[in-house]
Amino acid sequence: MTSPPSPRRQPIGRRLPAPRTASPAARQALRAGHTDDPRVDSLARQEAERRRGRRWVLWILGVAVLVEALLVVGASRPSTRVIAVVLGVFWAVQGWMRWRDLREADRYLANHRNT
């Protein structure tokens, strides 16, 4: 019988903590804008505050879209333009998703400010 490997010999993925993600119920409460369960309400508030704390990501995504637009305009090779367009669309979609998450968080916190 072998002993379990020491922490130093485990792959890096097993040593890292699990990422913090909101529970499905908390995400649903944010989308709906309300919940009746106090436990889910607490989790949804925490998730909303976490999302609001990452507002700066929108600026980085906006800069990335602008850089890709400059590459589309200034590129001399068609393949560079295609890659720049694809990446620009990708960054724009990521920005839209982040903006939508921020709207949900702001709406949830505004509806539950006094409770």
Side-chain angles (χ1 to χ4, degrees):
M1 187 162 117
T2 63
S3 63
S6 69
R8 292 182 181 227
R9 293 186 168 235
Q10 289 181 351
I12 188 77
R14 290 189 183 174
R15 286 187 276 163
L16 294 176
R20 279 186 23 190
T21 59
S23 69
R27 285 194 304 263
Q28 180 60 34
L30 284 171
R31 281 189 205 102
H34 67 282
T35 183
D36 296 330
D37 186 0
R39 185 184 59 82
V40 174
D41 180 55
S42 174
L43 291 173
R45 285 178 193 235
Q46 289 175 0
E47 176 65 13
E49 290 293 338
R50 187 181 65 79
R51 287 180 183 184
R52 288 182 74 192
R54 293 185 181 169
R55 193 175 297 268
W56 55 271
V57 174
L58 270 177
W59 291 100
I60 291 176
L61 293 171
V63 168
V65 169
L66 289 175
V67 167
E68 297 301 335
L70 289 174
L71 283 174
V72 169
V73 171
S76 58
R77 296 173 54 190
S79 61
T80 304
R81 284 189 175 145
V82 168
I83 291 172
V85 166
V86 168
L87 286 174
V89 169
F90 173 76
W91 295 127
V93 168
Q94 291 297 312
W96 176 79
M97 290 171 60
R98 187 69 64 172
W99 180 70
R100 184 194 62 195
D101 288 347
L102 281 171
R103 281 187 318 164
E104 288 176 354
D106 289 341
R107 184 184 67 217
Y108 191 85
L109 290 174
N111 289 340
H112 296 86
R113 190 166 305 276
N114 295 329
T115 58

PDB file of all heavy atoms in Angstrom, residues 1-28:
ATOM      1  N   MET A   1       0.835  -1.162   0.000  1.00  0.00           N
ATOM      2  CA  MET A   1       0.000   0.000   0.000  1.00  0.00           C
ATOM      3  C   MET A   1       0.889   1.237   0.000  1.00  0.00           C
ATOM      4  O   MET A   1       1.849   1.322   0.744  1.00  0.00           O
ATOM      5  CB  MET A   1      -0.880  -0.040   1.242  1.00  0.00           C
ATOM      6  CG  MET A   1      -1.894   1.042   1.232  1.00  0.00           C
ATOM      7  SD  MET A   1      -3.182   0.613   2.391  1.00  0.00           S
ATOM      8  CE  MET A   1      -3.006   1.920   3.504  1.00  0.00           C
ATOM      9  N   THR A   2       0.565   2.173  -0.854  1.00  0.00           N
ATOM     10  CA  THR A   2       1.374   3.385  -0.954  1.00  0.00           C
ATOM     11  C   THR A   2       0.688   4.523  -0.218  1.00  0.00           C
ATOM     12  O   THR A   2      -0.531   4.597  -0.129  1.00  0.00           O
ATOM     13  CB  THR A   2       1.589   3.792  -2.424  1.00  0.00           C
ATOM     14  OG1 THR A   2       0.320   4.083  -2.975  1.00  0.00           O
ATOM     15  CG2 THR A   2       2.253   2.683  -3.201  1.00  0.00           C
ATOM     16  N   SER A   3       1.507   5.403   0.281  1.00  0.00           N
ATOM     17  CA  SER A   3       0.958   6.570   0.975  1.00  0.00           C
ATOM     18  C   SER A   3       0.585   7.633  -0.054  1.00  0.00           C
ATOM     19  O   SER A   3       1.110   7.644  -1.173  1.00  0.00           O
ATOM     20  CB  SER A   3       1.983   7.121   1.962  1.00  0.00           C
ATOM     21  OG  SER A   3       3.117   7.555   1.259  1.00  0.00           O
ATOM     22  N   PRO A   4      -0.330   8.543   0.310  1.00  0.00           N
ATOM     23  CA  PRO A   4      -0.701   9.594  -0.646  1.00  0.00           C
ATOM     24  C   PRO A   4       0.489  10.503  -0.911  1.00  0.00           C
ATOM     25  O   PRO A   4       1.347  10.683  -0.051  1.00  0.00           O
ATOM     26  CB  PRO A   4      -1.832  10.346   0.053  1.00  0.00           C
ATOM     27  CG  PRO A   4      -1.736   9.973   1.486  1.00  0.00           C
ATOM     28  CD  PRO A   4      -1.042   8.649   1.554  1.00  0.00           C
ATOM     29  N   PRO A   5       0.563  11.049  -2.119  1.00  0.00           N
ATOM     30  CA  PRO A   5       1.709  11.905  -2.446  1.00  0.00           C
ATOM     31  C   PRO A   5       1.704  13.154  -1.578  1.00  0.00           C
ATOM     32  O   PRO A   5       0.668  13.639  -1.139  1.00  0.00           O
ATOM     33  CB  PRO A   5       1.500  12.258  -3.917  1.00  0.00           C
ATOM     34  CG  PRO A   5       0.069  11.971  -4.184  1.00  0.00           C
ATOM     35  CD  PRO A   5      -0.376  10.940  -3.209  1.00  0.00           C
ATOM     36  N   SER A   6       2.894  13.631  -1.306  1.00  0.00           N
ATOM     37  CA  SER A   6       3.021  14.859  -0.511  1.00  0.00           C
ATOM     38  C   SER A   6       2.477  16.036  -1.316  1.00  0.00           C
ATOM     39  O   SER A   6       2.384  15.970  -2.546  1.00  0.00           O
ATOM     40  CB  SER A   6       4.475  15.103  -0.143  1.00  0.00           C
ATOM     41  OG  SER A   6       5.214  15.435  -1.291  1.00  0.00           O
ATOM     42  N   PRO A   7       2.115  17.130  -0.623  1.00  0.00           N
ATOM     43  CA  PRO A   7       1.574  18.289  -1.355  1.00  0.00           C
ATOM     44  C   PRO A   7       2.523  18.829  -2.414  1.00  0.00           C
ATOM     45  O   PRO A   7       2.102  19.376  -3.413  1.00  0.00           O
ATOM     46  CB  PRO A   7       1.327  19.325  -0.255  1.00  0.00           C
ATOM     47  CG  PRO A   7       1.220  18.541   1.001  1.00  0.00           C
ATOM     48  CD  PRO A   7       2.063  17.323   0.807  1.00  0.00           C
ATOM     49  N   ARG A   8       3.809  18.662  -2.218  1.00  0.00           N
ATOM     50  CA  ARG A   8       4.768  19.173  -3.210  1.00  0.00           C
ATOM     51  C   ARG A   8       4.765  18.346  -4.491  1.00  0.00           C
ATOM     52  O   ARG A   8       5.160  18.830  -5.529  1.00  0.00           O
ATOM     53  CB  ARG A   8       6.162  19.213  -2.623  1.00  0.00           C
ATOM     54  CG  ARG A   8       6.284  20.241  -1.543  1.00  0.00           C
ATOM     55  CD  ARG A   8       7.663  20.279  -1.017  1.00  0.00           C
ATOM     56  NE  ARG A   8       7.713  21.269   0.024  1.00  0.00           N
ATOM     57  CZ  ARG A   8       8.647  22.176   0.123  1.00  0.00           C
ATOM     58  NH1 ARG A   8       9.621  22.205  -0.739  1.00  0.00           N
ATOM     59  NH2 ARG A   8       8.619  23.044   1.095  1.00  0.00           N
ATOM     60  N   ARG A   9       4.331  17.107  -4.402  1.00  0.00           N
ATOM     61  CA  ARG A   9       4.349  16.256  -5.579  1.00  0.00           C
ATOM     62  C   ARG A   9       3.016  16.232  -6.323  1.00  0.00           C
ATOM     63  O   ARG A   9       2.909  15.650  -7.379  1.00  0.00           O
ATOM     64  CB  ARG A   9       4.739  14.840  -5.193  1.00  0.00           C
ATOM     65  CG  ARG A   9       6.156  14.773  -4.727  1.00  0.00           C
ATOM     66  CD  ARG A   9       6.539  13.363  -4.495  1.00  0.00           C
ATOM     67  NE  ARG A   9       7.968  13.319  -4.321  1.00  0.00           N
ATOM     68  CZ  ARG A   9       8.777  12.566  -5.027  1.00  0.00           C
ATOM     69  NH1 ARG A   9       8.290  11.743  -5.910  1.00  0.00           N
ATOM     70  NH2 ARG A   9      10.061  12.589  -4.833  1.00  0.00           N
ATOM     71  N   GLN A  10       1.998  16.848  -5.750  1.00  0.00           N
ATOM     72  CA  GLN A  10       0.706  16.876  -6.411  1.00  0.00           C
ATOM     73  C   GLN A  10       0.751  17.873  -7.560  1.00  0.00           C
ATOM     74  O   GLN A  10       1.472  18.864  -7.502  1.00  0.00           O
ATOM     75  CB  GLN A  10      -0.388  17.288  -5.439  1.00  0.00           C
ATOM     76  CG  GLN A  10      -0.702  16.230  -4.418  1.00  0.00           C
ATOM     77  CD  GLN A  10      -1.811  16.671  -3.504  1.00  0.00           C
ATOM     78  OE1 GLN A  10      -2.232  17.806  -3.527  1.00  0.00           O
ATOM     79  NE2 GLN A  10      -2.285  15.745  -2.682  1.00  0.00           N
ATOM     80  N   PRO A  11      -0.036  17.618  -8.611  1.00  0.00           N
ATOM     81  CA  PRO A  11      -0.096  18.585  -9.711  1.00  0.00           C
ATOM     82  C   PRO A  11      -0.615  19.924  -9.207  1.00  0.00           C
ATOM     83  O   PRO A  11      -1.349  20.008  -8.223  1.00  0.00           O
ATOM     84  CB  PRO A  11      -1.083  17.957 -10.694  1.00  0.00           C
ATOM     85  CG  PRO A  11      -1.212  16.545 -10.290  1.00  0.00           C
ATOM     86  CD  PRO A  11      -0.849  16.443  -8.862  1.00  0.00           C
ATOM     87  N   ILE A  12      -0.230  20.986  -9.889  1.00  0.00           N
ATOM     88  CA  ILE A  12      -0.588  22.340  -9.468  1.00  0.00           C
ATOM     89  C   ILE A  12      -2.097  22.521  -9.381  1.00  0.00           C
ATOM     90  O   ILE A  12      -2.587  23.246  -8.514  1.00  0.00           O
ATOM     91  CB  ILE A  12       0.038  23.392 -10.404  1.00  0.00           C
ATOM     92  CG1 ILE A  12      -0.168  24.808  -9.852  1.00  0.00           C
ATOM     93  CG2 ILE A  12      -0.566  23.339 -11.791  1.00  0.00           C
ATOM     94  CD1 ILE A  12       0.728  25.153  -8.746  1.00  0.00           C
ATOM     95  N   GLY A  13      -2.863  21.877 -10.221  1.00  0.00           N
ATOM     96  CA  GLY A  13      -4.310  22.013 -10.201  1.00  0.00           C
ATOM     97  C   GLY A  13      -4.941  21.496  -8.926  1.00  0.00           C
ATOM     98  O   GLY A  13      -5.982  21.962  -8.500  1.00  0.00           O
ATOM     99  N   ARG A  14      -4.308  20.540  -8.287  1.00  0.00           N
ATOM    100  CA  ARG A  14      -4.859  20.003  -7.040  1.00  0.00           C
ATOM    101  C   ARG A  14      -4.466  20.858  -5.839  1.00  0.00           C
ATOM    102  O   ARG A  14      -5.080  20.776  -4.800  1.00  0.00           O
ATOM    103  CB  ARG A  14      -4.377  18.580  -6.829  1.00  0.00           C
ATOM    104  CG  ARG A  14      -4.994  17.642  -7.825  1.00  0.00           C
ATOM    105  CD  ARG A  14      -4.685  16.242  -7.469  1.00  0.00           C
ATOM    106  NE  ARG A  14      -5.241  15.357  -8.489  1.00  0.00           N
ATOM    107  CZ  ARG A  14      -5.044  14.086  -8.518  1.00  0.00           C
ATOM    108  NH1 ARG A  14      -4.296  13.518  -7.597  1.00  0.00           N
ATOM    109  NH2 ARG A  14      -5.571  13.350  -9.457  1.00  0.00           N
ATOM    110  N   ARG A  15      -3.412  21.645  -5.953  1.00  0.00           N
ATOM    111  CA  ARG A  15      -2.984  22.498  -4.851  1.00  0.00           C
ATOM    112  C   ARG A  15      -3.730  23.818  -4.825  1.00  0.00           C
ATOM    113  O   ARG A  15      -3.819  24.459  -3.791  1.00  0.00           O
ATOM    114  CB  ARG A  15      -1.485  22.780  -4.947  1.00  0.00           C
ATOM    115  CG  ARG A  15      -0.654  21.581  -4.561  1.00  0.00           C
ATOM    116  CD  ARG A  15       0.780  21.945  -4.499  1.00  0.00           C
ATOM    117  NE  ARG A  15       1.330  21.859  -5.843  1.00  0.00           N
ATOM    118  CZ  ARG A  15       2.467  22.398  -6.226  1.00  0.00           C
ATOM    119  NH1 ARG A  15       3.171  23.098  -5.392  1.00  0.00           N
ATOM    120  NH2 ARG A  15       2.889  22.255  -7.445  1.00  0.00           N
ATOM    121  N   LEU A  16      -4.251  24.248  -5.958  1.00  0.00           N
ATOM    122  CA  LEU A  16      -4.941  25.529  -6.010  1.00  0.00           C
ATOM    123  C   LEU A  16      -6.329  25.418  -5.405  1.00  0.00           C
ATOM    124  O   LEU A  16      -7.002  24.396  -5.558  1.00  0.00           O
ATOM    125  CB  LEU A  16      -5.061  26.002  -7.465  1.00  0.00           C
ATOM    126  CG  LEU A  16      -3.751  26.335  -8.171  1.00  0.00           C
ATOM    127  CD1 LEU A  16      -4.018  26.683  -9.620  1.00  0.00           C
ATOM    128  CD2 LEU A  16      -3.065  27.496  -7.485  1.00  0.00           C
ATOM    129  N   PRO A  17      -6.789  26.465  -4.737  1.00  0.00           N
ATOM    130  CA  PRO A  17      -8.158  26.417  -4.202  1.00  0.00           C
ATOM    131  C   PRO A  17      -9.172  26.488  -5.334  1.00  0.00           C
ATOM    132  O   PRO A  17      -8.890  27.001  -6.421  1.00  0.00           O
ATOM    133  CB  PRO A  17      -8.233  27.657  -3.317  1.00  0.00           C
ATOM    134  CG  PRO A  17      -7.208  28.576  -3.855  1.00  0.00           C
ATOM    135  CD  PRO A  17      -6.113  27.706  -4.421  1.00  0.00           C
ATOM    136  N   ALA A  18     -10.337  26.000  -5.066  1.00  0.00           N
ATOM    137  CA  ALA A  18     -11.407  26.045  -6.071  1.00  0.00           C
ATOM    138  C   ALA A  18     -11.798  27.505  -6.312  1.00  0.00           C
ATOM    139  O   ALA A  18     -11.808  28.310  -5.382  1.00  0.00           O
ATOM    140  CB  ALA A  18     -12.609  25.254  -5.590  1.00  0.00           C
ATOM    141  N   PRO A  19     -12.098  27.875  -7.545  1.00  0.00           N
ATOM    142  CA  PRO A  19     -12.480  29.262  -7.817  1.00  0.00           C
ATOM    143  C   PRO A  19     -13.804  29.601  -7.143  1.00  0.00           C
ATOM    144  O   PRO A  19     -14.686  28.751  -7.004  1.00  0.00           O
ATOM    145  CB  PRO A  19     -12.607  29.316  -9.340  1.00  0.00           C
ATOM    146  CG  PRO A  19     -12.797  27.907  -9.763  1.00  0.00           C
ATOM    147  CD  PRO A  19     -12.116  27.052  -8.739  1.00  0.00           C
ATOM    148  N   ARG A  20     -13.910  30.873  -6.717  1.00  0.00           N
ATOM    149  CA  ARG A  20     -15.146  31.324  -6.074  1.00  0.00           C
ATOM    150  C   ARG A  20     -16.169  31.642  -7.144  1.00  0.00           C
ATOM    151  O   ARG A  20     -15.967  32.535  -7.955  1.00  0.00           O
ATOM    152  CB  ARG A  20     -14.880  32.581  -5.261  1.00  0.00           C
ATOM    153  CG  ARG A  20     -14.282  32.317  -3.940  1.00  0.00           C
ATOM    154  CD  ARG A  20     -14.160  33.559  -3.129  1.00  0.00           C
ATOM    155  NE  ARG A  20     -15.076  34.593  -3.539  1.00  0.00           N
ATOM    156  CZ  ARG A  20     -15.044  35.825  -3.115  1.00  0.00           C
ATOM    157  NH1 ARG A  20     -14.137  36.186  -2.258  1.00  0.00           N
ATOM    158  NH2 ARG A  20     -15.911  36.731  -3.531  1.00  0.00           N
ATOM    159  N   THR A  21     -17.226  30.903  -7.145  1.00  0.00           N
ATOM    160  CA  THR A  21     -18.318  31.175  -8.077  1.00  0.00           C
ATOM    161  C   THR A  21     -19.616  31.240  -7.296  1.00  0.00           C
ATOM    162  O   THR A  21     -19.747  30.636  -6.234  1.00  0.00           O
ATOM    163  CB  THR A  21     -18.427  30.082  -9.157  1.00  0.00           C
ATOM    164  OG1 THR A  21     -18.638  28.834  -8.510  1.00  0.00           O
ATOM    165  CG2 THR A  21     -17.176  30.011 -10.017  1.00  0.00           C
ATOM    166  N   ALA A  22     -20.542  31.966  -7.819  1.00  0.00           N
ATOM    167  CA  ALA A  22     -21.845  32.087  -7.159  1.00  0.00           C
ATOM    168  C   ALA A  22     -22.644  30.808  -7.376  1.00  0.00           C
ATOM    169  O   ALA A  22     -22.490  30.106  -8.373  1.00  0.00           O
ATOM    170  CB  ALA A  22     -22.606  33.274  -7.723  1.00  0.00           C
ATOM    171  N   SER A  23     -23.489  30.528  -6.419  1.00  0.00           N
ATOM    172  CA  SER A  23     -24.350  29.362  -6.560  1.00  0.00           C
ATOM    173  C   SER A  23     -25.364  29.633  -7.676  1.00  0.00           C
ATOM    174  O   SER A  23     -25.670  30.782  -7.980  1.00  0.00           O
ATOM    175  CB  SER A  23     -25.077  29.087  -5.246  1.00  0.00           C
ATOM    176  OG  SER A  23     -26.021  30.101  -5.003  1.00  0.00           O
ATOM    177  N   PRO A  24     -25.877  28.592  -8.287  1.00  0.00           N
ATOM    178  CA  PRO A  24     -26.892  28.798  -9.327  1.00  0.00           C
ATOM    179  C   PRO A  24     -28.108  29.556  -8.812  1.00  0.00           C
ATOM    180  O   PRO A  24     -28.703  30.360  -9.532  1.00  0.00           O
ATOM    181  CB  PRO A  24     -27.256  27.379  -9.759  1.00  0.00           C
ATOM    182  CG  PRO A  24     -26.085  26.543  -9.399  1.00  0.00           C
ATOM    183  CD  PRO A  24     -25.487  27.187  -8.179  1.00  0.00           C
ATOM    184  N   ALA A  25     -28.481  29.327  -7.557  1.00  0.00           N
ATOM    185  CA  ALA A  25     -29.634  30.039  -6.999  1.00  0.00           C
ATOM    186  C   ALA A  25     -29.355  31.539  -6.881  1.00  0.00           C
ATOM    187  O   ALA A  25     -30.229  32.365  -7.144  1.00  0.00           O
ATOM    188  CB  ALA A  25     -29.992  29.460  -5.642  1.00  0.00           C
ATOM    189  N   ALA A  26     -28.123  31.892  -6.494  1.00  0.00           N
ATOM    190  CA  ALA A  26     -27.765  33.308  -6.382  1.00  0.00           C
ATOM    191  C   ALA A  26     -27.742  33.969  -7.762  1.00  0.00           C
ATOM    192  O   ALA A  26     -28.207  35.099  -7.921  1.00  0.00           O
ATOM    193  CB  ALA A  26     -26.409  33.462  -5.701  1.00  0.00           C
ATOM    194  N   ARG A  27     -27.214  33.272  -8.751  1.00  0.00           N
ATOM    195  CA  ARG A  27     -27.213  33.835 -10.119  1.00  0.00           C
ATOM    196  C   ARG A  27     -28.634  34.022 -10.628  1.00  0.00           C
ATOM    197  O   ARG A  27     -28.943  35.030 -11.267  1.00  0.00           O
ATOM    198  CB  ARG A  27     -26.406  32.925 -11.049  1.00  0.00           C
ATOM    199  CG  ARG A  27     -24.917  33.048 -10.842  1.00  0.00           C
ATOM    200  CD  ARG A  27     -24.139  32.413 -11.980  1.00  0.00           C
ATOM    201  NE  ARG A  27     -24.489  31.024 -12.189  1.00  0.00           N
ATOM    202  CZ  ARG A  27     -23.809  29.995 -11.696  1.00  0.00           C
ATOM    203  NH1 ARG A  27     -22.751  30.196 -10.967  1.00  0.00           N
ATOM    204  NH2 ARG A  27     -24.186  28.764 -11.940  1.00  0.00           N
ATOM    205  N   GLN A  28     -29.506  33.059 -10.333  1.00  0.00           N
ATOM    206  CA  GLN A  28     -30.902  33.183 -10.752  1.00  0.00           C
ATOM    207  C   GLN A  28     -31.579  34.354 -10.042  1.00  0.00           C
ATOM    208  O   GLN A  28     -32.373  35.081 -10.646  1.00  0.00           O
ATOM    209  CB  GLN A  28     -31.656  31.878 -10.469  1.00  0.00           C
ATOM    210  CG  GLN A  28     -33.102  31.908 -10.865  1.00  0.00           C
ATOM    211  CD  GLN A  28     -33.309  32.169 -12.351  1.00  0.00           C
ATOM    212  OE1 GLN A  28     -32.505  31.744 -13.179  1.00  0.00           O
ATOM    213  NE2 GLN A  28     -34.354  32.875 -12.694  1.00  0.00           N
TER     214      GLN A  28
END
